[in-house]
Amino acid sequence: MTRSTPPPAEITEQASALRDKLNDWSYRYYVLDDPAVPDVEYDRLFRELSKLEADYPALVSPDSPTQRVGDRPLDAFEEVRHEVPMLSLGNAFDDDDLTDFDRRVHERLNVSGDIDYIAEPKLDGLAVSLVYEQGELVRGATRGDGETGEDITSNIRTLRSVPLRLRGDVPALVEIRGEVVMTHQGFEALNARQREAGNKVFANPRNAAAGSLRQLDSRIAAERPLDFFAYSVARLEGRDWPRRHSDLLAWVRDWGIRVNREVRQCQGVSALLAFYHDILERRAALGYDIDGVVYKVDRLDWQEQLGFVSRAPRWAVAHKFPAQEEITVLRDVEFQVGRTGAITPVARLEPVQVGGVTVSNATLHNMDEIARLDLRIGDSVVIYRAGDVIPKVVSVLADRRPDDARPVQLPAACPVCGSDIFTPEGEVIARCTGGLICGAQQKEAIKHFASRRAMDIEGLGDKLVEALVDQGLVNHIADLYRLDAEQVARLERMGEKSAANLMAALEKSKQMPLARVLFALGIMQIGEETAKALARAFGDLNALREADPLLLLAVPDVGQKVAQSIAAFFHEQHNQDVIDALLAQGVQAQGEDRPSAEFVARLDLVHLLVSAKALQAPLDGIGQTSLEKLGAHFGTFAALRDADDEALLQSGLNAAGVEAVRRLQADRSWCARLAHAQAQCDALRDRAPASSSASLPLAGETLVLTGSLSRLTRDDAKALLEQLGAKVAGSVSKKTSRVFAGEAAGSKLKKAEELGIPVQDEDALLALLAEHGLTPDS
Ligand code: I6G
């Protein structure tokens, strides 16, 4: 197919049907608040349409839902003159202001009795104007100064809650006004992404929405979680105006544009006040920031009669809520330890009222955030509190900094257990390394240890762990094995039988394989797969717990972060003590006892040097090829350490390489470390089996299991296949060699078929296992 290939009629129809369906689903989702299908189904059809449009570019229409991805960056936004100015609203700050407003409306209209008002939340976002001609979105603009705004059409087109084409019976022209906001959820997710990418984080959702709408590159705007809510119609051509504002809002909805679901008709001031208090109470749960509510006289003829005063309508008023931002003083920063060992700085503040609540603490996330804010103790800070979200420090008022302001420092030791604090390479969150003994982490550590995929201690559920710790019977995992049946039986809701069962389960868990025990220790970054790889490589716990990170880096899939996390864990004496206690209680941690031949084969001098360089040894200016030459020439670190210039040149190094090795030779601590690591490698090599075991029957195969199996669990199937040397992956890719599909297999099966990967059923799987002497129960 080429760009010029005209689409066949049935393809054109198919694309049109897909577009209609997607637009209809968007309408159901955004306007009716009644999703027709799960998101995955929307995404599936969306991909289908994208594919058709990619194959036949002539099918692409400007109002296709696929045309929301953003366009080329602009140099600047064009100016837009608003034909009907975008005015502001007068404010009411209390009940008296509101009563005055209602009295003025009565007086001007010269009417008595309750007035019909339309009330709705006042969203704290950015006012925008949307112009639709013959139903098609032709322009989106910011408010600007009310007279002139900026043309942000390309950004507005990326918002899924803004239809590119109106539905139903549309007027020749309509200009709709409303607010663009970012939800709390969208805001938190965006800031998390920004933080991760080392980009600027936004102080509040309003700033984030404003920054996103003012992106000259609409592809960036397209990735920002922005939402639109319409609140009025400014121009209407080709049809008569209705009688009421509420009729207009109903039309807007029918045209497929979202109007806030909280809009209500209220008669008289008392109904307005009831609305105000109801929304104020539910403010936190709305999911987006609001700074008040707006009341409008419903009858449009009355609106016209009332007119405007100093650029604000006399027929509407904004009833303001207490502010969500306040200024206060940072008294101190304390550090809290989370259940997973994450160390979080917390701001202790001079108490201040924010949004009607007294705030004296705020989160600071991590040390990078403190550096970004340039925060010192004693500073005046701006606090933001969105709904029931924990308040945040969003900025520092640097010009108010007192002379005695002090910098914030991360403590060297965990404030709960005194273990070292460690910030993994490339991460911003500092962590306590006392995973096994830290009081803040103890319950989580024990629950994880007992869990099914770890030590699988049946009967030791979360509630029982809580009770054991709360009663002081267990402080760390090794204490579990010191429990006796009588102590346990005395606990609430435990009887002799349950206690005896628990004792039996604990006894059974002593025979767990090394990989399970490693996983059960809850070392940061060590999931089940890494635990298996470590167990396979080292074969026993003692070699592993002493290993230098240089050796750990030779284990498949272990990178610097993981290696440093393991080393930090075992470096902590408390953790070593708990492991000793576990072993003393009879926990076996059974491995192969010997390191694997493949692992040991990797532990040569080249590996040590390459890893040392990665861990910042003074080897700058020497590349991989030269390190390989050194490894091949000298064989051991001892030989390299003693080499003179001549020997180094003989190995094939150039002058810069020689200089680099000289620097390494002069670095006593690196020399000692490399010598020690070399000794560890030699010891492992001595214990390794002579030949490689890579000749397992399924070595080199990557398999995927999908659907439900009836004769064995997927976990068991995985374990058995791995015993035969296969890698069992979680998703299908080009690397997959075959797929075993049980009942009701879904997307993985489909993908395998698309990629032409062989698919077999459960019988074939069982036959394969049986062929190699394995049965589900073996
Ligand atoms: O700034 C505003 C927020 C909400 C408004 C507004 C509104 O209605 C819910 N309505 C008007 C008429 C104006 N500003 C001028």
Side-chain angles (χ1 to χ4, degrees):
M1 272 153 298
T2 68
R3 288 208 143 253
S4 55
T5 313
E10 69 272 19
I11 297 284
T12 307
E13 261 169 46
Q14 196 187 343
S16 162
L18 284 171
R19 260 195 301 271
D20 288 350
K21 197 172 253 181
L22 288 167
N23 284 333
D24 196 53
W25 288 349
S26 279
Y27 170 69
R28 294 269 306 263
Y29 184 91
Y30 289 104
V31 182
L32 303 186
D33 245 338
D34 174 26
V37 288
D39 290 357
V40 285
E41 183 62 5
Y42 182 98
D43 295 343
R44 197 179 64 73
L45 253 62
F46 186 93
R47 283 196 301 275
E48 220 173 286
L49 178 60
S50 305
K51 179 153 189 326
L52 284 184
E53 291 179 346
D55 289 347
Y56 299 98
L59 286 175
V60 180
S61 65
D63 63 349
S64 171
T66 57
Q67 300 305 296
R68 293 187 184 276
V69 285
D71 214 333
R72 256 187 299 269
L74 305 171
D75 293 328
F77 295 118
E78 303 258 318
E79 279 195 353
V80 170
R81 234 189 127 63
H82 298 299
E83 293 215 10
V84 176
M86 291 186 78
L87 304 178
S88 48
L89 293 175
N91 291 323
F93 293 101
D94 55 28
D95 296 6
D96 289 347
D97 288 351
L98 180 62
T99 316
D100 284 350
F101 164 78
D102 181 61
R103 185 182 40 75
R104 287 196 302 272
V105 169
H106 276 95
E107 283 172 5
R108 284 219 156 234
L109 294 174
N110 199 14
V111 293
S112 57
D114 282 345
I115 299 225
D116 280 351
Y117 290 103
I118 296 299
E120 67 176 284
K122 185 170 185 303
L123 274 54
D124 196 7
L126 284 104
V128 298
S129 133
L130 310 179
V131 177
Y132 287 88
E133 283 175 7
Q134 308 301 343
E136 193 184 322
L137 176 68
V138 294
R139 200 192 69 200
T142 60
R143 176 178 183 279
D145 62 5
E147 301 284 342
T148 311
E150 287 177 323
D151 186 333
I152 52 161
T153 312
S154 48
N155 287 342
I156 287 290
R157 286 178 60 86
T158 67
L159 272 67
R160 273 181 57 185
S161 48
V162 172
L164 300 175
R165 169 168 290 283
L166 298 182
R167 301 163 58 89
D169 184 14
V170 296
L173 180 142
V174 60
E175 179 177 345
I176 288 162
R177 303 256 166 100
E179 203 86 356
V180 170
V181 294
M182 194 175 283
T183 61
H184 293 153
Q185 204 183 11
F187 169 69
E188 295 298 337
L190 170 63
N191 264 359
R193 286 205 304 271
Q194 293 284 104
R195 222 172 259 127
E196 190 132 301
N199 292 337
K200 135 180 172 255
V201 296
F202 295 98
N204 54 45
R206 187 178 189 286
N207 287 8
S212 307
L213 274 191
R214 297 211 67 258
Q215 281 291 337
L216 289 167
D217 186 346
S218 52
R219 286 167 299 196
I220 298 181
E223 286 168 2
R224 300 285 171 83
L226 297 172
D227 275 299
F228 176 77
F229 292 86
Y231 58 64
S232 71
V233 174
R235 285 192 291 154
L236 182 65
E237 290 175 13
R239 112 148 44 165
D240 290 339
W241 288 83
R243 273 176 36 77
R244 290 176 176 264
H245 176 63
S246 46
D247 299 328
L248 272 177
L249 293 183
W251 286 2
V252 170
R253 258 199 200 110
D254 289 346
W255 292 328
I257 302 193
R258 174 157 65 184
V259 172
N260 197 305
R261 68 204 294 208
E262 303 290 345
V263 174
R264 295 284 181 278
Q265 211 140 17
C266 296
Q267 277 154 353
V269 173
S270 52
L272 295 182
L273 284 174
F275 179 81
Y276 175 91
H277 288 289
D278 174 50
I279 297 286
L280 181 56
E281 210 164 281
R282 293 192 292 114
R283 183 185 197 177
L286 294 177
Y288 42 79
D289 277 356
I290 60 174
D291 54 1
V293 293
V294 177
Y295 314 126
K296 292 177 182 166
V297 171
D298 194 19
R299 274 177 58 168
L300 295 185
D301 57 335
W302 282 1
Q303 285 194 2
E304 201 167 323
Q305 220 175 310
L306 287 160
F308 298 84
V309 57
S310 45
R311 310 188 53 69
R314 282 203 190 88
W315 41 266
V317 71
H319 193 176
K320 302 291 275 195
F321 282 164
Q324 288 182 302
E325 281 192 346
E326 267 305 338
I327 296 174
T328 187
V329 172
L330 177 71
R331 282 179 172 169
D332 201 1
V333 172
E334 286 175 12
F335 290 84
Q336 286 181 346
V337 193
R339 291 176 312 158
T340 58
I343 310 274
T344 311
V346 178
R348 303 287 180 219
L349 305 162
E350 202 68 57
V352 62
Q353 288 280 315
V354 189
V357 172
T358 305
V359 170
S360 40
N361 303 312
T363 174
L364 286 165
H365 298 290
N366 53 55
M367 292 306 288
D368 269 22
E369 180 80 353
I370 290 174
R372 187 187 70 77
L373 291 164
D374 184 25
L375 185 66
R376 319 252 169 106
I377 294 162
D379 270 339
S380 288
V381 292
V382 177
I383 303 300
Y384 166 75
R385 176 180 166 270
D388 54 3
V389 178
I390 304 168
K392 289 185 230 208
V393 173
V394 295
S395 59
V396 169
L397 302 176
D399 53 348
R400 298 200 194 173
R401 174 165 291 160
D403 291 341
D404 60 352
R406 294 183 280 129
V408 181
Q409 264 161 353
L410 180 71
C414 169
V416 174
C417 72
S419 300
D420 286 349
I421 284 179
F422 162 73
T423 309
E425 183 85 23
E427 292 202 1
V428 290
I429 299 188
R431 293 186 183 275
C432 162
T433 55
L436 294 183
I437 55 105
C438 180
Q441 303 168 65
Q442 88 195 129
K443 285 182 180 169
E444 287 315 298
I446 298 167
K447 286 177 197 171
H448 171 75
F449 183 80
S451 64
R452 200 170 59 77
R453 290 172 171 282
M455 299 298 272
D456 193 19
I457 306 174
E458 213 173 307
L460 186 51
D462 291 359
K463 289 253 160 59
L464 183 53
V465 171
E466 308 256 342
L468 290 168
V469 174
D470 291 342
Q471 303 273 322
L473 293 175
V474 171
N475 283 318
H476 56 67
I477 51 178
D479 290 342
L480 290 169
Y481 296 96
R482 298 196 183 103
L483 286 169
D484 66 45
E486 271 172 43
Q487 283 174 318
V488 176
R490 277 199 296 271
L491 289 171
E492 209 180 316
R493 269 180 287 157
M494 290 292 285
E496 268 172 36
K497 178 127 198 307
S498 323
N501 288 344
L502 179 64
M503 291 299 122
L506 280 163
E507 205 49 41
K508 187 168 156 216
S509 74
K510 290 181 179 172
Q511 309 299 325
M512 277 294 165
L514 174 59
R516 289 272 204 140
V517 179
L518 278 176
F519 174 62
L521 292 176
I523 306 169
M524 287 302 302
Q525 321 268 358
I526 307 296
E528 284 167 282
E529 293 308 318
T530 311
K532 278 185 202 159
L534 288 166
R536 217 174 290 135
F538 282 88
D540 80 321
L541 186 56
N542 284 333
L544 173 62
R545 65 199 278 205
E546 307 295 340
D548 190 287
L550 295 169
L551 277 73
L552 298 170
L553 285 169
V555 178
D557 293 333
V558 171
Q560 280 185 46
K561 239 195 226 180
V562 178
Q564 284 178 343
S565 169
I566 299 169
F569 178 89
F570 286 118
H571 183 253
E572 197 53 63
Q573 187 55 44
H574 302 304
N575 292 336
Q576 295 279 7
D577 291 346
V578 172
I579 294 171
D580 284 339
L582 274 181
L583 299 177
Q585 295 293 329
V587 174
Q588 304 265 317
Q590 288 166 329
E592 291 290 316
D593 265 349
R594 298 189 298 180
S596 80
E598 295 89 339
F599 172 58
V600 167
R602 259 179 255 127
L603 294 177
D604 57 10
L605 180 57
V606 180
H607 168 81
L608 285 182
L609 293 174
V610 170
S611 307
K613 187 173 176 207
L615 297 183
Q616 314 299 324
L619 280 167
D620 286 348
I622 189 163
Q624 172 87 17
T625 325
S626 300
L627 293 176
E628 281 170 10
K629 284 181 191 160
L630 282 177
H633 191 82
F634 293 102
T636 65
F637 180 67
L640 178 65
R641 192 180 41 197
D642 296 339
D644 57 16
D645 283 5
E646 200 185 320
L648 290 171
L649 287 168
Q650 252 177 24
S651 75
L653 285 196
N654 58 19
V658 171
E659 218 171 283
V661 176
R662 283 267 169 255
R663 273 199 308 276
L664 181 69
Q665 289 171 330
D667 188 318
R668 287 176 60 179
S669 93
W670 264 106
C671 281
R673 180 167 174 188
L674 279 161
H676 185 61
Q678 174 81 70
Q680 291 188 329
C681 294
D682 294 345
L684 283 166
R685 199 170 298 110
D686 288 347
R687 294 179 41 229
S691 70
S692 153
S693 59
S695 52
L696 285 169
L698 301 185
E701 279 220 49
T702 302
L703 309 176
V704 170
L705 297 164
T706 182
S708 56
L709 303 172
S710 58
R711 298 270 314 279
L712 70 176
T713 65
R714 264 211 245 172
D715 281 347
D716 288 345
K718 183 168 183 248
L720 293 170
L721 290 167
E722 282 172 347
Q723 270 189 42
L724 297 176
K727 183 167 178 226
V728 181
S731 59
V732 176
S733 72
K734 274 187 265 171
K735 288 194 198 143
T736 310
S737 32
R738 53 181 148 161
V739 170
F740 289 106
E743 282 302 307
S747 59
K748 289 182 202 168
L749 173 59
K750 192 151 174 275
K751 176 121 189 245
E753 285 166 354
E754 277 166 18
L755 294 175
I757 289 163
V759 177
Q760 294 179 301
D761 61 11
E762 185 174 350
D763 286 344
L765 169 64
L766 292 168
L768 173 70
L769 295 172
E771 194 184 311
H772 297 290
L774 296 177
T775 62
D777 304 317
S778 66

